[in-house]
Amino acid sequence: MSPLLTVENLSKRFPIRSGLSRKAVGFVRAVDDVSFELGRRETLALVGESGCGKTTVSRCVVGAYRPTEGRILFALERGDRVDISQLERKELREVRREIQMIFQDPSSSLNPRMTLFEIVGEPLLVHGERDPEVRKARVAELLEMVGLRPEYMNRYPHAFSGGQRQRIGIARALALNPTLLVADEAVSALDVSVQAQVLNLLLDLQEDLGLGCLFVAHDLSVVRHVSDRVAVMYVGRLVEIGHTADVYYRPLHPYTDALISSVPVPDPRKPSMRVRLEGEVADAAAPPSGCHFHPRCPYATEICVEQKPLLTEVSPGRWVGCHHATDLDLKGIAG
């Protein structure tokens, strides 16, 4: 079966402007030659430090940003595939029926002057459903689906907690029966006690509705709970892709190993195995030569400085961009 989403050699550069003429004097390479696939009913987690480019990738996928280079192929429900990066505004509007986004901050993503009926029913109105009774019935169905009572539909967002607001955002995203959800840090703004409830809701909805999900996150303990596969980014590039258990228990890239070691272990008797990286995250406007990670990597050699490592499939479904991946003995969670 063909993948639901295929991203090929995606790059996105933002100009750095200076002076009164606002002339471009450089570029921020937010995303640099990223490729991956997302299957139907699959959750792919895109992880990395803040500023690594994962949110830019997600916004390119939903059409909010037009890529500088590359293709984003999406399989429509009717069977054909479209390149989102080449669609005009009117064509993109139709595709957005099948691709919806859940935003990071539920407070700022909901209009405080609109009721739940207006917020959740807005996608239906935008896409041609003018009958208020039909919209009302659909909004009631969606609210029940996400664990809220239909009689809440005349209330405003300020009357709800953070977790309830995120449920409202999920209901809005499901209004048009999409096949792909893009969740951009969907639980990072919530209390830890509420995160599990929202995550379990997303997992149940994905199973019931057959959704694919691109899950953008930096919390690796959350990612381990929800994802089928993990793609790790560093300064705009993908450095490793694999099934979740493989990546967590046997990482192949030193950066992945450092990320996993930062996950707290709920056992005070167990000694810390934290891998502490030296130096600072590279500047995306002036990245290092070769491997972007080499200034911080304890295993870097001359080839890492001179040559960019290609993302290579080292075993079925396992990709890594590291010159020394097959020589390293990284422990991951097992460490």
Side-chain angles (χ1 to χ4, degrees):
M1 183 181 293
S2 63
L4 179 63
L5 178 72
T6 304
V7 175
E8 296 179 350
N9 308 113
L10 178 67
S11 295
K12 178 61 180 177
R13 297 189 292 271
F14 294 98
I16 302 171
R17 302 189 182 276
S18 179
L20 294 175
S21 64
R22 307 303 295 161
K23 181 180 178 181
V25 295
F27 293 91
V28 174
R29 296 170 176 82
V31 179
D32 184 7
D33 196 22
V34 166
S35 299
F36 61 85
E37 291 183 347
L38 172 65
R40 301 172 189 273
R41 308 177 76 97
E42 180 187 32
T43 297
L44 173 67
L46 202 56
V47 304
E49 293 171 287
S50 296
C52 71
K54 55 188 185 296
T55 292
T56 304
V57 170
S58 70
R59 294 189 177 186
C60 289
V61 167
V62 299
Y65 291 157
R66 186 174 288 272
T68 307
E69 296 172 5
R71 300 197 303 168
I72 304 171
L73 303 177
F74 178 69
L76 296 173
E77 204 165 14
R78 62 175 182 253
D80 53 333
R81 293 163 67 82
V82 296
D83 184 356
I84 294 173
S85 64
Q86 300 300 318
L87 296 180
E88 298 300 326
R89 186 170 182 175
K90 184 177 180 181
E91 298 170 312
L92 189 58
R93 180 176 173 178
E94 292 304 312
V95 173
R96 282 193 176 131
R97 282 181 170 271
E98 300 183 33
I99 304 177
Q100 289 291 312
M101 194 165 191
I102 302 171
F103 298 94
Q104 177 176 358
D105 185 0
S107 299
S108 61
S109 65
L110 303 178
N111 190 330
R113 293 178 176 165
M114 295 172 68
T115 64
L116 264 62
F117 169 69
E118 294 170 320
I119 290 171
V120 179
E122 187 176 29
L124 301 169
L125 182 62
V126 168
H127 286 270
E129 184 51 72
R130 302 295 177 182
D131 189 337
E133 292 303 318
V134 173
R135 295 204 307 275
K136 186 175 181 179
R138 177 59 175 160
V139 169
E141 178 186 3
L142 289 164
L143 291 179
E144 288 186 329
M145 195 181 295
V146 299
L148 297 174
R149 299 169 71 174
E151 51 264 38
Y152 291 167
M153 71 172 66
N154 293 319
R155 298 184 183 181
Y156 291 86
H158 72 264
F160 299 91
S161 66
Q164 288 174 319
R165 288 175 191 163
Q166 194 60 291
R167 289 171 185 265
I168 296 167
I170 294 170
R172 177 177 58 186
L174 296 175
L176 297 171
N177 295 313
T179 55
L180 173 62
L181 285 182
V182 178
D184 182 14
E185 304 275 10
V187 297
S188 63
L190 305 178
D191 293 339
V192 174
S193 60
V194 179
Q195 286 184 4
Q197 299 174 23
V198 175
L199 289 172
N200 288 331
L201 171 65
L202 284 172
L203 290 172
D204 291 341
L205 290 171
Q206 183 180 17
E207 180 67 25
D208 295 341
L209 303 177
L211 302 172
C213 183
L214 180 63
F215 192 88
V216 178
H218 64 267
D219 187 337
L220 295 194
S221 57
V222 168
V223 167
R224 186 183 177 194
H225 179 62
V226 302
S227 63
D228 299 301
R229 290 189 301 133
V230 177
V232 184
M233 289 190 70
Y234 183 76
V235 194
R237 292 179 180 173
L238 281 178
V239 298
E240 185 167 354
I241 306 175
H243 293 288
T244 303
D246 294 338
V247 172
Y248 274 70
Y249 284 94
R250 188 68 175 85
L252 297 177
H253 196 283
Y255 178 65
T256 306
D257 189 45
L259 279 182
I260 292 171
S261 75
S262 68
V263 178
V265 178
D267 186 352
R269 296 166 296 181
K270 188 172 183 179
S272 173
M273 302 297 289
R274 178 78 180 268
V275 177
R276 299 191 179 277
L277 299 175
E278 301 294 331
E280 300 293 331
V281 178
D283 182 1
S289 61
C291 175
H292 287 175
F293 186 60
H294 84 256
R296 306 176 71 193
C297 180
Y299 308 102
T301 61
E302 188 175 348
I303 192 174
C304 304
V305 179
E306 296 175 351
Q307 295 183 22
K308 171 187 173 181
L310 299 178
L311 196 66
T312 305
E313 190 173 22
V314 295
S315 61
R318 195 72 188 279
W319 299 75
V320 63
C322 177
H323 293 297
H324 305 297
T326 56
D327 303 324
L328 302 179
D329 184 22
L330 306 176
K331 302 301 183 183
I333 283 182

